[in-house]
Amino acid sequence: MSAAKSATASRHVVTDWNPEDEASWDSRLAWRTLAISTYSMILAFCVWFLVSAIAPKLASIGFHLTKGQLYWLTAMPGLSGGIIRLVYMFLPPVIGTRRMVAWSSLLYIIPMFGWFFAVQNPNTDYGVLLALAIACGIGGGTFSGYMPSTGYFFPKRLSGTALGIQAGIGNLGMSVIQLVGPVLMTFGLFGITWIAPQHTSGGDLWVHNAAIFFVPWSILAAVLAFVYLKDVPVKANFREQIDIFGNPNTWLMTLLYVMTFGLFSGFSAQFGLLINNTYGATSRFAGMEGLPAGATYAFLGPLIASIVRVAWGPLCDRFGGAIWTFVSGVGVAGTLVWAALFLDPSGPDQFPGFLWAMLAFFFFSGIGNAGTFKQMPMIMPKRQAGGAIGFTAAIASFGPFFVGVALSSMAASTWFWICAVYAAVCAVICWIQYARPRAPFPG
């Protein structure tokens, strides 16, 4: 390697890095990396859930799609996101944090531009919409690279707090797009007012705004990453990284994270449509006054779970993650049973019962999301923990896909009961293996 190339490499790679030794740990670099990568992750989740914000508006602007087609449309980012995560889980030790975050931030722009143009024409082919929904999976996929990478920068004593902050605040992107998206659709954005709105019975809508608004913010994330981020000397090739599959904890923690994040992301993506189809304008109560609109409530689930995930990080550092994962499993099972009781309503007046049950579900899933990510760095070596975090996150991110497919093929109440039983089984596994006194792997 030439002297020039060597100097370039050294500017972007930290040497003698050991977070467990204060003398070999740069806390400022660690927190700066957390801040920039978390900012990029917010945008990632905005992209991943972009379809869930746009889909409830498609019928009103002239798209003729069935309920099943809409469920599939909102499910596809979950499928592609899970597949992409299976790739990203191997990237941190291969290409490093700096390039991974920077180039990922630029990739987010592709589906944003696609949806920006697609929604302006209600005759856009459904196959094109599906392809754009698949492209949104890049937003969900990067999570499995960002989280293990961040884990390399922090000591174990701060792992729960750091990963809780990144995952929780990053997950807020799901709420940001579902809350801000509908607002952006109500007026013409400065600089692109030359694009005509879509006319609806309720007034004009600029649905394309929800996609194009976040493009400049993604460019900013890429610039910040290229300029301010560095890599740490944690390197491993593909063959070295697959040793995580020989550790039984990888598989058990995958089951638990599917119970927390898998169900959380799945029901978050479908929450607006579920409300519309059970109590709203596309339900059997259609035509009645005062029906709830899914877009009004869709942001609440991700918001609650994300805030809880951040808040519970320090609690997991203090009391351990396993006990909170167990509490989450019990809570998720109970709240899904509660919600299932309101999925065959006799009238729209039962909606508050369903809403409160779902909000309680999102609360408990947030606790579990924090607990599981505290457990893995405690029960596994650092590099293996990073790989396990990436793999469990990859499998759990299929949640929006499987929940969407399930809701399109069976009664919603049936699916809720199945998920409740699964959560109860996970709670038992967590108690026996991790949370009980003298558990084999307390975390």
Side-chain angles (χ1 to χ4, degrees):
M1 178 183 292
S2 67
K5 290 184 178 180
S6 178
T8 300
S10 64
R11 288 201 303 270
H12 302 305
V13 179
V14 181
T15 57
D16 300 323
W17 182 262
N18 181 9
E20 305 303 330
D21 179 8
E22 288 290 338
S24 303
W25 180 52
D26 185 346
S27 62
R28 289 179 300 177
L29 174 61
W31 290 106
R32 183 169 73 237
T33 301
L34 176 66
I36 294 174
S37 58
T38 299
Y39 165 55
S40 178
M41 191 183 290
I42 293 173
L43 298 169
F45 275 87
C46 286
V47 172
W48 199 26
F49 273 65
L50 178 63
V51 183
S52 70
I54 290 176
K57 300 291 186 181
L58 292 179
S60 62
I61 61 174
F63 285 83
H64 301 289
L65 303 175
T66 66
K67 293 181 181 179
Q69 286 177 316
L70 287 172
Y71 275 133
W72 273 97
L73 203 60
T74 53
M76 294 314 292
L79 175 63
S80 59
I83 294 172
I84 294 170
R85 284 190 180 190
L86 291 173
V87 175
Y88 261 83
M89 62 177 283
F90 295 106
L91 293 186
V94 176
I95 68 173
T97 300
R98 176 176 168 270
R99 286 182 295 173
M100 181 183 66
V101 174
W103 286 110
S104 297
S105 299
L106 293 177
L107 287 175
Y108 303 154
I109 297 173
I110 296 174
M112 291 183 196
F113 268 121
W115 279 102
F116 171 69
F117 289 108
V119 297
Q120 295 179 48
N121 180 9
N123 294 318
T124 300
D125 187 76
Y126 182 65
V128 174
L129 298 181
L130 280 176
L132 291 174
I134 291 171
C136 285
I138 183 62
T142 55
F143 184 91
S144 281
Y146 284 29
M147 293 296 289
S149 172
T150 297
Y152 299 156
F153 285 83
F154 287 88
K156 288 184 177 181
R157 63 183 175 83
L158 293 175
S159 60
T161 298
L163 294 178
I165 289 173
Q166 178 158 67
I169 295 180
N171 287 170
L172 282 175
M174 299 157 66
S175 279
V176 169
I177 188 61
Q178 292 176 330
L179 176 61
V180 176
V183 175
L184 292 171
M185 297 176 194
T186 61
F187 57 89
L189 285 179
F190 177 75
I192 58 171
T193 53
W194 49 271
I195 298 179
Q198 294 98 350
H199 303 291
T200 72
S201 58
D204 292 341
L205 287 177
W206 289 260
V207 176
H208 53 268
N209 286 352
I212 200 65
F213 177 80
F214 295 95
V215 168
W217 303 107
S218 295
I219 295 174
L220 175 61
V223 171
L224 291 173
F226 276 126
V227 174
Y228 293 108
L229 294 188
K230 294 186 177 182
D231 302 327
V232 294
V234 178
K235 297 295 182 182
N237 59 34
F238 175 81
R239 179 172 296 183
E240 290 170 332
Q241 292 185 66
I242 62 175
D243 64 349
I244 63 171
F245 300 120
N247 190 328
N249 289 305
T250 297
W251 302 103
L252 294 177
M253 292 306 303
T254 298
L255 290 175
L256 297 183
Y257 196 58
V258 167
M259 182 267 294
T260 59
F261 185 81
L263 295 184
F264 153 65
S265 61
F267 284 118
S268 291
Q270 307 296 338
F271 194 29
L273 289 176
L274 191 59
I275 291 173
N276 287 345
N277 293 339
T278 307
Y279 288 95
T282 54
S283 70
R284 59 184 176 181
F285 308 120
M288 298 177 63
E289 293 185 0
L291 297 179
T296 303
Y297 300 94
F299 77 95
L300 288 173
L303 177 65
I304 291 172
S306 299
I307 292 175
V308 169
R309 188 170 193 168
V310 175
W312 248 257
L315 292 174
C316 291
D317 280 337
R318 181 174 181 180
F319 299 106
I323 189 62
W324 293 117
T325 304
F326 170 72
V327 169
S328 172
V330 174
V332 165
T335 53
L336 287 177
V337 169
W338 177 12
L341 301 177
F342 292 92
L343 284 171
D344 188 23
S346 57
D349 59 311
Q350 292 182 277
F351 173 67
F354 172 72
L355 178 63
W356 282 109
M358 289 303 296
L359 296 184
F361 158 76
F362 288 122
F363 174 84
F364 282 108
S365 65
I367 291 177
N369 287 335
T372 50
F373 270 33
K374 172 62 178 179
Q375 287 179 257
M376 284 180 273
M378 299 302 294
I379 63 179
M380 305 175 75
K382 182 171 284 289
R383 184 185 56 74
Q384 274 203 348
I389 287 173
F391 178 73
T392 59
I395 301 303
S397 70
F398 287 110
F401 173 72
F402 287 114
V403 172
V405 171
L407 290 175
S408 68
S409 59
M410 69 177 73
S413 58
T414 302
W415 176 242
F416 271 64
W417 278 101
I418 291 173
C419 292
V421 171
Y422 175 72
V425 171
C426 286
V428 172
I429 292 173
C430 183
W431 177 257
I432 294 174
Q433 191 75 357
Y434 304 110
R436 65 181 173 88
R438 295 182 297 279
F441 297 94

